[in-house]
Amino acid sequence: SLFQHFLPHSSTNSCLADLSEQIKKVTKESHVRAENTELMLSFQRGKVTLPQYKLLLCSLYEIYQALEEALDRNSNHPNVAPIYFPAELARLRSIEKDLEYFYGQDWREKIVVPAATKRYCHRLRQIGKENPEFLLAHAYTRYLGDLSGGQVLGRIAQKSMGLKNGDGLSFFAFPGVSSPNLFKQLYRSRMNSVELTEEERNGVLEEAVRAFEFNIQVRRCDDLGMTDHKTEIVYTSSLLRMVLGLFVALATVSVGIYAL
Ligand code: HEM
């Protein structure tokens, strides 16, 4: 109708809450699940092991390679530029340092990547090309997480594995961020400055839930080593049961023959 010309356009979202508030709200339940994966629980109990941590670093390497490549590629995009902080946040070089510490010079040939991590990275590359505004959701999920709970996890990791001088723990250190809390405030205000249509905003919120889901899947690691190991145990035990069964059957038959 004619009136609609005078009504505010649906892309003005001043009546809605800030993106930073909304994104936190829609991912609240996902965060609880992300905190309670097997790996995160091991962390919280101070029982994270070296193999667990090494495997996590391998996944993080792939994830940040894809994420930071997508951010670099879109650094001038109006929806990405405000949250583009390579000097303060970039993690790739730090992870490389940690991998070199644990695996040695030829770490590139030694790292293993779970299938779930590959799916996550595929999504990151895809949105880097097709929906750069969704990078808001992915950068939020990783970087704000690293600046929050990640700080505690770093100290736990150090204690659990008896690491010294920050060796192997570069991933948790943000030398370019003097106050994580203040930086998080700045980051949120930058997120809120991005002008999105309602449709784009809903897309970003949905993508944030998805980003958490990808991270939960990665941490489950059920498509790598660990399952192979479990499968092996199940396989061995069923084989053992079969042999035992055969033995019992043979014994029964021989007792029967003896009794004759
Ligand atoms: C042991 C596991 C974890 C613990 C103990 C933990 C703890 C925390 C804490 C204490 C905060 C600050 C909350 C606040 O400021 O109100 C936080 C924020 C956050 N965490 Fe975690 N977290 C964990 C795992 C994760 C994981 C696996 C992810 C996703 C990959 C994640 C993503 C986030 C994000 C995005 C925020 C920022 C929320 C916001 O202020 O909008 N966390 N976490």
Side-chain angles (χ1 to χ4, degrees), residues 20 24 31 34-35 40 44 140-142 144-145 148-149 153 184 188 212 215 219:
S20 68
K24 185 166 189 170
H31 189 273
E35 275 178 288
M40 288 299 122
Q44 292 174 86
Y140 161 82
T141 304
R142 284 297 342 167
L144 254 56
S148 307
L153 299 189
K184 274 161 66 182
R188 290 190 192 105
F212 268 84
N215 280 284
R219 278 162 172 77

Side-chain angles (χ1 to χ4, degrees), residues 19 22-23 26-27 30 123 134 137-138 141 198-214:
L19 178 63
Q22 285 186 315
I23 204 164
V26 299
T27 58
S30 307
R123 178 69 183 155
F134 289 176
H138 285 279
T141 304
E198 208 172 321
E199 197 187 343
E200 285 170 331
R201 179 187 278 246
N202 290 336
V204 169
L205 294 174
E206 234 172 77
E207 191 66 25
V209 175
R210 231 198 255 204
F212 268 84
E213 196 51 46
F214 275 122

Side-chain angles (χ1 to χ4, degrees), residues 36-156:
N36 289 295
T37 60
E38 221 172 286
L39 179 60
M40 288 299 122
L41 289 173
S42 312
F43 258 102
Q44 292 174 86
R45 292 178 188 127
K47 292 208 169 117
V48 64
T49 63
L50 197 58
Q52 274 181 315
Y53 182 54
K54 281 167 72 174
L55 185 59
L56 174 63
L57 282 173
C58 291
S59 282
L60 290 174
Y61 174 71
E62 295 291 320
I63 293 163
Y64 281 94
Q65 177 161 294
L67 176 63
E68 290 174 0
E69 199 182 285
L71 288 169
D72 292 343
R73 170 203 283 262
N74 293 286
S75 60
N76 291 318
H77 190 286
N79 296 339
V80 175
I83 55 107
Y84 186 63
F85 287 100
E88 291 82 358
L89 298 179
R91 299 288 82 203
L92 195 60
R93 298 291 160 253
S94 320
I95 300 168
E96 285 178 355
K97 245 175 90 182
D98 294 341
L99 286 170
E100 193 178 328
Y101 175 76
F102 290 117
Y103 288 94
Q105 287 271 300
D106 55 345
W107 61 271
R108 278 176 206 276
E109 286 104 72
K110 290 185 183 158
I111 61 173
V112 275
V113 186
T117 305
K118 289 186 180 152
R119 288 192 289 275
Y120 184 1
C121 297
H122 180 261
R123 178 69 183 155
L124 288 167
R125 295 207 168 86
Q126 183 186 37
I127 66 171
K129 289 181 189 135
E130 295 165 16
N131 307 79
E133 73 272 13
F134 289 176
L135 290 173
L136 274 174
H138 285 279
Y140 161 82
T141 304
R142 284 297 342 167
Y143 294 126
L144 254 56
D146 298 337
L147 286 174
S148 307
Q151 297 309 289
V152 183
L153 299 189
R155 284 191 288 279
I156 296 176

Side-chain angles (χ1 to χ4, degrees), residues 5 18 35 42 100 148 154-155 182-183 193 228 230 248:
H5 285 284
D18 286 335
E35 275 178 288
S42 312
E100 193 178 328
S148 307
R155 284 191 288 279
L182 283 180
F183 190 86
S193 76
D228 286 354
K230 257 187 223 153
V248 171

